[in-house]
Amino acid sequence: MHKIKPNYFCIAAGLSSAVFAAPTTSWQEKTLREECSAFSQAGMRDCLAKKAESSQKTLRQAEEKLAGTLSRWDEDNKYVDQAKAALVESNKKFAEYRETQCEFSASLSGGAAGNAHEMHHLACISELNNKRAEQLRDAVSDLPLK
């Protein structure tokens, strides 16, 4: 019987494309701007402002849920308290990062006219808030609870 040898190059190429492929989500900055592009420039800005506001609510809910989950975590109180303190610090650092990153993103609009700077900033805020909310949900998704 003839043995079939695996083609390791093809397997590796398939794995690398799966590992390095960029995920496409509906809340990526570019996608958000495209979703709002059907409006006038002022309408686009308002659309992005609503998306940023909605993402802030989503983030706040994820933070609150995570804090509640930590309170029910089946772990010594010492570690629960450490995790809660780390969450507070992480939330502060995230807010600082988000503002700095979104200013950078907005700067990439260059000398564009109108609300372009603010639209980039709002889309960035929305994307990062949604990513952070997902990150927080995933962080505690498998914690053993009391």
Side-chain angles (χ1 to χ4, degrees):
M1 174 112 353
H2 180 56
K3 279 187 160 180
I4 298 174
K5 292 182 182 179
N7 184 333
Y8 292 108
F9 176 75
C10 289
I11 293 170
L15 285 176
S16 66
S17 65
V19 171
F20 296 110
T24 304
T25 60
S26 63
W27 39 260
Q28 287 180 334
E29 192 176 336
K30 183 178 178 181
T31 305
L32 290 165
R33 288 194 310 269
E34 288 171 358
E35 287 174 3
C36 293
S37 67
F39 300 101
S40 66
Q41 194 172 44
M44 187 175 176
R45 187 224 156 279
D46 291 344
C47 175
L48 288 167
K50 287 177 187 171
K51 288 184 180 291
E53 184 180 326
S54 175
S55 73
Q56 188 61 43
K57 288 178 187 174
T58 299
L59 177 57
R60 191 172 30 251
Q61 289 169 346
E63 290 170 346
E64 290 169 3
K65 186 171 182 178
L66 190 141
T69 300
L70 289 176
S71 294
R72 297 186 327 273
W73 185 20
D74 190 17
E75 185 58 78
D76 291 337
N77 286 338
K78 169 185 172 182
Y79 300 110
V80 171
D81 292 342
Q82 285 176 355
K84 285 181 177 180
L87 173 62
V88 169
E89 186 63 22
S90 178
N91 289 343
K92 287 179 189 175
K93 295 293 184 185
F94 169 75
E96 292 171 10
Y97 162 75
R98 180 187 57 214
E99 190 55 36
T100 303
Q101 178 62 27
C102 292
E103 274 304 314
F104 165 68
S105 179
S107 75
L108 297 177
S109 62
N115 294 318
H117 186 269
E118 188 174 5
M119 288 186 291
H120 276 266
H121 191 262
L122 291 168
C124 176
I125 287 172
S126 184
E127 177 182 358
L128 293 182
N129 282 345
N130 284 313
K131 281 183 180 180
R132 173 70 174 174
E134 180 180 45
Q135 192 177 46
L136 294 177
R137 286 189 297 268
D138 290 349
V140 295
S141 64
D142 60 351
L143 281 183
L145 303 178
K146 297 177 190 172

